[in-house]
Amino acid sequence: MLLCLVENPEARMREVAVRVGITERAVQRIVAELEEAGYLSRMREGRANRYIVHEDLFLRHPVESHCTIAELIEMVIGTRRRAEPSRKGVRRA
């Protein structure tokens, strides 16, 4: 889930559900749990949400608790598919 939202912070829950292979309701529950735990923040942008993954936090499982989310992201997807910050509302000169 976190990797999907790192790659596409503006993804709709339906898109994430299809990609991960679980129900949309399950995605909503997991996102709520990640938000509550501080791993994820949700920002409203118009009618859509933008998700911010807090990459400096450590993973919870004892086996991986020495690794940060950023290290997991780097290991799995590297920098090749990370989303760039949104440019909505930014004017070019």
Side-chain angles (χ1 to χ4, degrees):
M1 294 267 317
L2 287 174
L3 297 172
C4 288
L5 294 174
V6 163
E7 290 180 333
N8 183 6
E10 297 165 350
R12 300 199 185 282
M13 295 297 97
R14 181 176 296 123
E15 297 167 10
V16 175
V18 169
R19 180 134 189 240
V20 176
I22 59 177
T23 66
E24 188 174 347
R25 175 79 101 198
V27 170
Q28 291 169 349
R29 182 178 41 80
I30 293 167
V31 166
E33 290 172 1
L34 289 170
E35 240 183 315
E36 186 177 312
Y39 287 94
L40 190 64
S41 294
R42 181 185 338 213
M43 290 177 43
R44 196 77 173 152
E45 287 188 353
R47 294 178 50 189
N49 289 320
R50 179 174 184 77
Y51 297 91
I52 300 164
V53 176
H54 302 287
E55 298 180 14
D56 57 326
L57 297 178
F58 288 89
L59 300 172
R60 292 189 296 189
H61 193 278
V63 173
E64 295 98 10
S65 63
H66 65 283
C67 294
T68 64
I69 293 173
E71 292 169 326
L72 172 68
I73 293 166
E74 186 66 32
M75 180 180 70
V76 177
I77 64 174
T79 56
R80 75 188 190 290
R81 293 192 40 136
R82 282 195 181 189
E84 293 187 23
S86 177
R87 299 229 178 246
K88 289 183 180 177
V90 177
R91 299 178 113 178
R92 293 187 179 221

